[in-house]
Amino acid sequence: MKLITALIQPHKLPDVKKALFDAKVYKMTVTSALGAGAQKGYTETYRGAQEEINLLKKIKIEIAVNDDFVQPTVDAIIKGAKTGNIGDGKIFIQPLEECIRIRTGEKGKAAIG
Amino acid sequence: MKLITALIQPHKLPDVKKALFDAKVYKMTVTSALGAGAQKGYTETYRGAQEEINLLKKIKIEIAVNDDFVQPTVDAIIKGAKTGNIGDGKIFIQPLEECIRIRTGEKGKAAIG
Amino acid sequence: MKLITALIQPHKLPDVKKALFDAKVYKMTVTSALGAGAQKGYTETYRGAQEEINLLKKIKIEIAVNDDFVQPTVDAIIKGAKTGNIGDGKIFIQPLEECIRIRTGEKGKAAIG
Amino acid sequence: MNRMKILKKMSLTMAILATILAVSPIVMNQVYAQEEAVQQAPQKTEVKKPSATDELAYAVDNMFLFFCAVLVLFMQAGFAMVEAGLNASKNTVNILFKNLMDLCIGVGLYWLIGYGMMYPGDAFKGGWFGFAGFGVSEKLGDVAGGTLHPQFDFLFQVAFAATAATIVSGAVAGRLKFAAYLIYSAVLTGLIYPISGMWKWGGGWLDAMGFYDFAGSLVVHAVGGFAGLAGALVLGPRIGKFNQDGTPNPMPGHNLAFTALGVFILWIGWYGFNPGSQLAFYGSANTSAVGIIAVNTTIAAAMGAFGAMLFNWILYGKPELSMALNGALAGLVGITANCDSVTNGEAFIIGIVAGIIVVLGVILLNKLKIDDPVGAFPVHGLAGIWGGIATGLFGDHPLGAQIVGSLVIPAWAFITMYILFFTMDKIFGIRVSEEEEIKGLDIGEHGEEAYAGFQIIETK
Amino acid sequence: MNRMKILKKMSLTMAILATILAVSPIVMNQVYAQEEAVQQAPQKTEVKKPSATDELAYAVDNMFLFFCAVLVLFMQAGFAMVEAGLNASKNTVNILFKNLMDLCIGVGLYWLIGYGMMYPGDAFKGGWFGFAGFGVSEKLGDVAGGTLHPQFDFLFQVAFAATAATIVSGAVAGRLKFAAYLIYSAVLTGLIYPISGMWKWGGGWLDAMGFYDFAGSLVVHAVGGFAGLAGALVLGPRIGKFNQDGTPNPMPGHNLAFTALGVFILWIGWYGFNPGSQLAFYGSANTSAVGIIAVNTTIAAAMGAFGAMLFNWILYGKPELSMALNGALAGLVGITANCDSVTNGEAFIIGIVAGIIVVLGVILLNKLKIDDPVGAFPVHGLAGIWGGIATGLFGDHPLGAQIVGSLVIPAWAFITMYILFFTMDKIFGIRVSEEEEIKGLDIGEHGEEAYAGFQIIETK
Amino acid sequence: MNRMKILKKMSLTMAILATILAVSPIVMNQVYAQEEAVQQAPQKTEVKKPSATDELAYAVDNMFLFFCAVLVLFMQAGFAMVEAGLNASKNTVNILFKNLMDLCIGVGLYWLIGYGMMYPGDAFKGGWFGFAGFGVSEKLGDVAGGTLHPQFDFLFQVAFAATAATIVSGAVAGRLKFAAYLIYSAVLTGLIYPISGMWKWGGGWLDAMGFYDFAGSLVVHAVGGFAGLAGALVLGPRIGKFNQDGTPNPMPGHNLAFTALGVFILWIGWYGFNPGSQLAFYGSANTSAVGIIAVNTTIAAAMGAFGAMLFNWILYGKPELSMALNGALAGLVGITANCDSVTNGEAFIIGIVAGIIVVLGVILLNKLKIDDPVGAFPVHGLAGIWGGIATGLFGDHPLGAQIVGSLVIPAWAFITMYILFFTMDKIFGIRVSEEEEIKGLDIGEHGEEAYAGFQIIETK
Ligand SMILES: Nc1ncnc2c1ncn2[C@@H]1O[C@H](COP(=O)(O)OP(=O)(O)O)[C@@H](O)[C@H]1O
Ligand SMILES: Nc1ncnc2c1ncn2[C@@H]1O[C@H](COP(=O)(O)OP(=O)(O)O)[C@@H](O)[C@H]1O
Ligand SMILES: Nc1ncnc2c1ncn2[C@@H]1O[C@H](COP(=O)(O)OP(=O)(O)O)[C@@H](O)[C@H]1O
């Protein structure tokens, strides 16, 4: 099993959700985050003081999947999030050793979907 | 070492915290998240427009533990979070290679607790 | 590749950011979190009711790096976040199997930086 | 399918509306007929042309009451902010909605029947119940200083009725069904409040007995406070409020800035509530009275906040804002019955005591395991009674009558409202489901969240 | 480098300012010269010393108008809160700023030219356009009951002008460039509103025709509502509002507590808007009229909210707060034209119908794929027209003239404003870039966020 | 154990309170004795019955002042919102609490001693200090137009005192200990403000010299602004405000919607502040003056906001809301001293200049590395001085006296307050610990957070 984490532009969340649903990925966890990456921030002057805002608002999506679902999930995220502009975001894939459904105590493949 | 991540119902946080404390797990990190899972969302009509809300509010708890603490921690989370209803949540277990205490520079087992 | 997660005091974020930039680490993801650790919380009485607040506000920084960048990144975080007091925080290091840049589809080393 | 249903419902509503529009003139004529019958007698004296002085005094007094009524109506915004701020964000829409509907239903019903029940006229002097007819006269009566146009009088009085009703919404917050609240609100403003109001202000038996309540510590605030207590008792505490060992958990409000703003607005609104209750400004005796009333109100509010802050500080070692804000309101409630009868110095003391009462009241509720999320009972119920008693202690009114009134009115509100909430609960259940309570009434009752886009971490 | 630039700009501004300060006396003298010329004739009658009764009546009437003007000016806070609350948090600074600038630009321009265009004097009776001169007289005119000091009259009128302007900011929220908005606001308060206002209230052709609009359902609200519609049409909907199949997506406001507070403030402000439009309080006929106006206003507002809530409940199975709040405003707009001409019972009906209209109006806009984020068009445009028609149906004013006025004024506002927005769009583009719209106008236009420190998750 | 302690404290407090209640009648009698002695002389003239005209004029003037006082008191809500919004969310409870206590302590002390010091009577004409006795008379004095009941006069004046005090809370936000603030607030409203107030409004030496300050650009606003500067200087900047190279960091406010609402409320409140300072409405000269005052106030506010926006736009290339809001307040402060002495056109200029001054003032503070989180010094201090000078430039008052007054009053406030803050700092330290400042004063001082449930990410 893998844990896929994607950092995307906030306004792309509906598109990514749709692409994931089309790919039959229905489970996910979404949080808001601030990100620094290749995308340049913007400069604010506030009451005479200047500051470079280089942490931009991002959405973080985490999806735990079985190994055979990794590629379709990654593809779906890219499909929904890609515009070709800087700031589109990143996907990280990590190993996931176990997954447990609290309600039933099921583990592994049975629990993830 | 493992990193245990649990996604639970927000109102179960006090119970889970209590169960963890009883199991002598005192350290954790809590964030709020939105989750899509087996639990059905709800439909809203807002000023004549309809929308299915399928991202529900969840609490994410992350706990880094030594290997021998994995089972007690998982048990405690289940004890605190389980109601038997859909939406109870999931637990993920990932490998954790290193843990460092910033204050002292301690590593590994010494740092985690 | 590794995923480095640091939990630090909120007001140390600017210092850590600066230390990371000095170490040529420009990419990261920041979220806010509540943490329980060695640091003691505080007790509130609210309208005659007492409660121990043991979840304190923390900042979580996630940085994906190539293996040779792990040590410099950890050092920079410690440099920026350390005060020697309880509550300074922790750093976790996890394996990262893949990293994909959504915009270009680049993978691995090419994508991470 | 869904669309078809909506279209069907729409046409149905339209048909009903058309019918209403068609029959309404008849009904309305009916209302006016009754109303004019009632107003016949006094109208006769209208024949002689009033003098310029009468016209001027009439204008001054009615203008005074008009702007005071506007200030009292503004209090609705204050209550909405106070209560919204002291509750969880997941119930914000629900609380705001209840406050809005209080006013709207209150205006409708108090206009239709409440006003006629509360001010039934001299025929019902000393009695328990009366009715002057539907609606409110639009006719000009006597023109002279101290005489009020019935429309202004109604505007002022309806704001009081809405105040009494809205106090309850805080006490039952977070668990009462919206529909049940609407029913409660209608019964209170259309029936319960006008009846006990008539006992005192309508010239009823309490008035005859010598009971004094200048602007409504009891007639308005204690009615609301004890109705709220009844609701809180029938409902029981919110999930998570009390531990199994009986100790209370803090369930802090989600926005104390709203609460503070609300208290400032209420404080301002009280300058309509108390001074306006003089019902006249012209004539130096009236002018002077209004001046003293306004200053007494100010001093009591200030000292209520100060007293609550200090007492809380002494007890718990810290100055707590939400308690000081409750204290200001308690000071205002405490001075309401007697603001025209006491000196500035006495107002000072009445305020401090009210502030202390509110702190003790919150402790008491915790002890009794009653969950009143905004402190409506201590602020309006207990400080209301204190106001009634203080009127006897400081204000040269017979203490006996004050004690009777200060017991009877709260009891009336508590008993009738307990019966109402209890009966509704038996018939259809007035408490939302556990799941709905946990998720918040905004989603469950209204499908609408107050803070779209804000990430909120609620753990209770 | 940056600092040098700023210093240079600073000195330049100072130089310009110094020049302005130097020439301003001359310009101002000019203004006054013109103004005094205009005021010459009536000033003559000032010679005879007014009687004490005249002085008193004058004081009463002007004081009444003064406090009413303050209430109407308070409505600016209400609009700011309503509109801010109904939009996304990322556009909050922008919305608030537009509301502030409406008032500021409105005060400047309406003082300089608008007032003189709207009340050009008897010389332009029955006409289409007139001008009395720059500025506003500071001279005392006749002293008697019913006579207003021009400065108070201006204060009251400028608040109306700002109201008309500010309605639009909600309809074009989230996508209009700030600079374009400032231009629009200047044109509306300095030109468009005074012209159509003159047609009715300045004694122009609509007035001569017998058209009646007591406090501005059409003259103020429909002008704003239809100008907003024009803006929304030229701009097109916000990104994400409509799906490809034409179905609308909800884009809920970020803070319904602000919206509720705003509606309570507007409701309170309306006690200046409608009662103040009687322009006199002294004289029992005036006093009585103001009383009826105030109660009618209250009843219509209450029933507007109630009607909208109920109708929405019937249609969608749930009581929606934002719709009930819009309903209260629609009730207020609907009663504005006729509050002095109908009975309490008729106000009841006018309010309910207005509440239903607002629900239907929102559905209509969704059908037509027009994106009006706060419902400005249904509330001010449609309910405004309803107010005009209701004046004919219930208020004993010729229905024909009411229909003409209820068509002509909205058409005037819509057409002129459509041309303005369209022309601006052709010349420099009035819509912000897609990227700016997505990130929010607060960052794009102002580089300032409303909620520093709050974590906000926007998904639209 | 804990419970025992609380019970013990509770009984102790009750015992003290009982004692106070027991002795209070004696003290109060004392107060009244003194007070009545003072009021003896003028009371004599009360014998003859006032005419109807006198009664009416008296009613009109006192009613005018009453509603104006209510408007000024409403400003407390405005200040609370402005200051809360411009600071970090972690200090919200603290700021709101300081604003509430300003008013409460102000009412208590200004009633007890302040009013008697500020208006000591003719005996102290032209002097530096005087005292008329404790408390405020509740007796009716002369009844005639222009005569004010002492209670109304007090209500109006106490609102001014609270305004002066509350200005400081913004300047010292985020780092001053709560207890130190309470002491400061007591000293200012009970001593410092009444003394300098007496110099001008109590008939003291500045008044005798010909210095003019109609409604308090200096007497109220500059006192607050310079007291705030003193506090900010003694405290030093917040952690993180200035970098080691001296450049400032933005520390944006957490809720600009609150700030905007607060400014709208203050603007509205100013219609009590300035027009009310005419202290009379009856008599066409008064009526006319109030009209001009109200319009001048409006124009200056509008142009202050417009000027600040434009100047900021020129300097930094973007229109900044928080600066425009400060500009509106600066315009209001600038016109306060002279609103009755200038024309509408001059008000226009005074407003624009005030708006520019505020932008320059913020730059100046940054240069001097003084940290005034809400801009209290530029808005109230600098624009206050500008108001005093403008009174000489435009208003036909001797420029020399204006300059003296515009230097002396700020200096008095600055020096006395610097000494107070400095002394307190030496004795017990007025700044909270670094840790507390970082975590926020809400937790450290009050153990109560303003936004329970909202996730807030503060990085400063
Ligand atoms: N190495 C990294 N470690 C952690 N987060 C990262 C890393 N690189 C990118 N991110 C996250 O991904 C977001 C998008 O990155 P960005 O570089 O702007 O995208 P792209 O390079 O595809 O245009 C960033 O804002 C940040 O939150
Ligand atoms: N495969 C997954 N990947 C990421 N998050 C998941 C996944 N499955 C579940 N979750 C998270 O766990 C939460 C609870 O899941 P849910 O399916 O509702 O629980 P259960 O199946 O135990 O009733 C979801 O809301 C989501 O946040
Ligand atoms: N074992 C753990 N699992 C998850 N989070 C942890 C763990 N230990 C610490 N943390 C996080 O790190 C933060 C800082 O920990 P703390 O023990 O206070 O630091 P230190 O021990 O260095 O003084 C905590 O608030 C919590 O968010």
Side-chain angles (χ1 to χ4, degrees), chain B residues 2-4 25-30 61-66 96 99-106 111-113, chain C residues 6-9 33-40 54-59 84-92:
Chain B
K2 303 289 171 198
L3 182 71
I4 301 174
V25 178
Y26 302 112
K27 313 219 157 172
M28 72 191 77
T29 301
V30 178
I61 306 177
E62 287 162 300
I63 311 171
V65 290
N66 289 321
L96 180 64
C99 169
I100 305 160
R101 190 188 305 275
I102 292 175
R103 175 166 46 96
T104 57
E106 285 163 287
I112 210 162
Chain C
L7 289 146
I8 62 164
Q9 295 276 34
L34 296 173
Q39 191 184 12
K40 251 196 54 170
N54 52 20
L55 290 177
L56 299 169
K57 283 180 191 147
K58 296 284 163 189
I59 289 286
N85 294 323
I86 282 186
D88 276 359
K90 294 243 175 104
I91 301 173
F92 300 127

Side-chain angles (χ1 to χ4, degrees), chain F residues 64 236 260 303 341:
Chain F
F64 172 64
M303 288 308 118
S341 313

Side-chain angles (χ1 to χ4, degrees), chain C residues 23 46 49 60:
Chain C
Y46 175 81
K60 178 173 163 187

Side-chain angles (χ1 to χ4, degrees), chain A residues 31-34 43-53 55, chain F residues 248-250 252-253 316 318 320 322-323 326 362 366 374 457 460:
Chain A
T31 39
S32 72
L34 296 173
T43 304
E44 276 192 13
T45 54
Y46 175 82
R47 305 176 69 81
Q50 289 215 8
E51 184 176 58
E52 214 194 299
I53 307 293
L55 288 177
Chain F
N249 292 312
Y316 302 114
K318 62 165 191 169
E320 220 169 320
S322 69
M323 207 58 110
N326 271 178
V362 168
N366 279 342
V374 306
I457 179 166
K460 294 249 159 88

